[in-house]
Amino acid sequence: MDDLVKQALAKWPNVPHCYGWLGLDARGHWRMRDQQAQQQQLPGDKIAHAALLSFINRNYGHDERGCWFFQNGPQRVYVNLQATPYIARSDPQHGFVLQTGAPLARIEQAYWCDNGALILCHGDVVAQVDDRDMAQVLAALRIDGQPASDDALLAWLEEGHGTLTLSHAGQDIAVQPLAYAKVAQALAFQQAPTAP
């Protein structure tokens, strides 16, 4: 967290929290959700200002309820998540990089969902792989040590036969099945935070 943000929090500790105005889409874009976007359940306008994006990424965190937020000076701006708290993109140097720019160097758990989404976890990081990168990631999936074809992946999801693994950083990480509708509950985060 930026020092200026810490100073603002100390100076104005009781600024009301903000809900619904900031979103993170499934491709890792931060979105400003004005009143119309909120009322009509729209994703909002993509934020393109480089300095603002950098500020959001540096001051992004979560509370004890599993709600993710951007600490904007003294005000906590809770984030509506279209997918997961982080979005991972494939990267030739690091394997995966988060939308914040941080590399995802280690993966402790991986989940393949019934909608074709791949979720990667390490510590507090829960990251869905950007769908545009899935073609590259499929090459790193194996079932019982063999390359995983589309048909084999569907059969694995439906019947659960064989062991699915993801090759990453010289390791084979076991991939577990997970219903996409249960991702937030199973991985302990809230997609649409509300006031307690």
Side-chain angles (χ1 to χ4, degrees):
M1 188 178 298
D2 289 358
D3 287 338
L4 286 175
V5 171
K6 291 176 187 175
Q7 292 168 10
L9 277 167
K11 190 172 183 179
W12 299 289
N14 298 317
V15 174
H17 299 324
C18 179
Y19 294 89
W21 286 83
L22 185 63
L24 178 65
D25 71 20
R27 289 189 166 169
H29 299 120
W30 294 106
R31 294 188 171 265
M32 185 60 67
R33 302 180 70 244
D34 63 14
Q35 198 166 16
Q36 180 182 0
Q38 292 178 53
Q39 289 170 348
Q40 297 178 9
Q41 299 297 308
L42 299 172
D45 296 326
K46 187 165 50 168
I47 299 172
H49 192 277
L52 178 56
L53 290 170
S54 179
F55 185 58
I56 292 171
N57 289 333
R58 288 192 316 271
N59 295 287
Y60 184 51
H62 65 88
D63 66 15
E64 66 284 347
R65 300 178 298 145
C67 298
W68 287 79
F69 61 85
F70 154 52
Q71 191 67 50
N72 183 23
Q75 185 173 51
R76 186 170 283 186
V77 179
Y78 282 95
V79 179
N80 283 31
L81 304 169
Q82 185 180 11
T84 54
Y86 292 95
I87 302 300
R89 297 182 183 107
S90 61
D91 179 78
Q93 183 178 0
H94 300 289
F96 292 100
V97 172
L98 304 174
Q99 87 275 358
T100 60
L104 181 58
R106 291 191 56 223
I107 299 171
E108 295 172 330
Q109 295 136 356
Y111 300 91
W112 185 266
C113 300
D114 50 1
N115 69 344
L118 179 64
I119 311 291
L120 309 174
C121 302
H122 175 70
D124 289 343
V125 173
V126 176
Q128 178 174 304
V129 175
D130 187 323
D131 65 336
R132 297 169 294 185
D133 290 8
M134 284 304 295
Q136 293 171 329
V137 174
L138 288 175
L141 292 173
R142 303 274 184 270
I143 296 178
D144 295 331
Q146 300 300 313
S149 68
D150 290 346
D151 290 339
L153 284 170
L154 286 173
W156 178 83
L157 244 153
E158 291 172 2
E159 302 160 19
H161 296 302
T163 301
L164 179 63
T165 58
L166 171 69
S167 297
H168 175 72
Q171 294 185 312
D172 289 330
I173 297 122
V175 180
Q176 303 298 317
L178 181 60
Y180 195 72
K182 296 184 178 179
V183 167
Q185 179 184 359
L187 301 177
F189 66 89
Q190 293 189 36
Q191 287 185 293
T194 57

